[in-house]
Amino acid sequence: DTAVSQTPKYLVTQMGNDKSIKCEQNLGHDTMYWYKQDSKKFLKIMFSYNNKELIINETVPNRFSPKSPDKAHLNLHINSLELGDSAVYFCASSQGGLYSPLHFGNGTRLTVT
Amino acid sequence: TQLLEQSPQFLSIQEGENLTVYCNSSSVFSSLQWYRQEPGEGPVLLVTVVTGGEVKKLKRLTFQFGDARKDSSLHITAAQPGDTGLYLCAGAGGVYNDMRFGAGTRLTVKP
């Protein structure tokens, strides 16, 4: 029973393509996130959704578009992929609130060639 | 701008040694969390500290939150190979109290 699951685990694609990553959580959490972890392991927040509404949108190129069909799902669509988009993308969820822990998926390793 | 600075960046020690890793910032945080990440997996929460000066113990791990709530430390006693991993600190701040992460300390414990 995976709490936060994301697919695919690995994604290899060419520059210019469009791809999507899917995320689902079965924890009943209200808030979901996308984080990007670069090659130096720095984990940076990209987006946050609370009950299907976007509440955080960091300085991310508009080629990245999150979509939340319901509060258990948060997908990430990326248009016109670039070499610099190569990274590991993590989905996470939390109950929200000041002290709530983040529950992460196992990541999607995106490689753009 | 990276709000949380972690040190050291890399640490390689022998089994049985003690170690301390640090998480420092010029910002005040409502709470601070420590996570451990293993290869191919997402970070997993170890502890949350919320009160300045707070000390929490988790078996051989001791976490401390600075009095001013700007820094934290993680001390591991008698490290074991199973402690190997990437240790990340994260602070809750900003308008939405979202978690912002440090760059991590990569710990290797050799048998």
Side-chain angles (χ1 to χ4, degrees):
Chain A
D1 285 355
T2 305
V4 181
S5 60
Q6 35 181 131
T7 54
K9 175 78 172 170
Y10 300 96
L11 187 52
V12 181
T13 188
Q14 291 184 325
M15 285 175 56
N17 285 348
D18 303 339
K19 290 293 178 185
S20 292
I21 307 172
K22 295 186 175 182
C23 179
E24 176 182 4
Q25 55 98 359
N26 62 7
L27 296 168
H29 288 165
D30 290 334
T31 308
M32 295 184 72
Y33 310 81
W34 279 109
Y35 279 84
K36 179 181 179 181
Q37 189 170 47
D38 61 24
S39 57
K40 294 184 178 178
K41 303 301 181 186
F42 182 49
L43 202 59
K44 185 176 179 184
I45 191 167
M46 299 173 70
F47 301 102
S48 170
Y49 267 75
N50 182 269
N51 271 320
K52 303 193 298 175
E53 286 191 33
L54 179 66
I55 58 171
I56 297 174
N57 182 353
E58 288 293 293
T59 308
V60 175
N62 58 15
R63 299 181 294 104
F64 290 80
S65 53
K67 281 193 172 57
S68 182
D70 56 62
K71 76 172 194 177
H73 295 84
L74 181 62
N75 304 323
L76 183 65
H77 187 76
I78 316 170
N79 289 327
S80 304
L81 278 154
E82 300 178 357
L83 292 176
D85 297 333
S86 295
V88 181
Y89 292 83
F90 285 98
C91 176
S93 72
S94 78
Q95 192 49 50
L98 211 52
Y99 314 124
S100 297
L102 293 169
H103 296 258
F104 285 88
N106 283 333
T108 295
R109 181 175 293 276
L110 171 66
T111 303
V112 183
T113 61
Chain B
T1 304
Q2 197 169 318
L3 295 178
L4 286 161
E5 299 285 342
Q6 289 191 243
S7 61
Q9 190 177 355
F10 298 96
L11 186 56
S12 181
I13 61 171
Q14 292 294 134
E15 182 176 2
E17 292 182 4
N18 300 333
L19 67 114
T20 302
V21 297
Y22 300 93
C23 175
N24 296 301
S25 175
S26 57
S27 304
V28 175
F29 290 98
S30 309
S31 66
L32 200 139
Q33 296 177 343
W34 285 91
Y35 290 78
R36 189 174 116 201
Q37 184 180 12
E38 299 194 35
E41 298 181 8
V44 176
L45 180 75
L46 294 173
V47 79
T48 300
V49 286
V50 301
T51 306
E54 182 177 4
V55 176
K56 278 192 174 178
K57 291 194 174 184
L58 193 68
K59 297 183 181 178
R60 294 177 294 100
L61 278 59
T62 301
F63 303 86
Q64 185 160 6
F65 201 12
D67 290 342
R69 290 185 288 131
K70 291 182 179 181
D71 53 84
S72 181
S73 63
L74 158 59
H75 182 80
I76 301 179
T77 304
Q80 298 176 1
D83 295 327
T84 293
L86 178 68
Y87 289 82
L88 296 158
C89 67
V95 175
Y96 301 105
N97 278 319
D98 53 290
M99 299 307 292
R100 305 291 170 129
F101 284 80
T105 292
R106 182 172 297 285
L107 172 66
T108 303
V109 182
K110 301 175 193 173

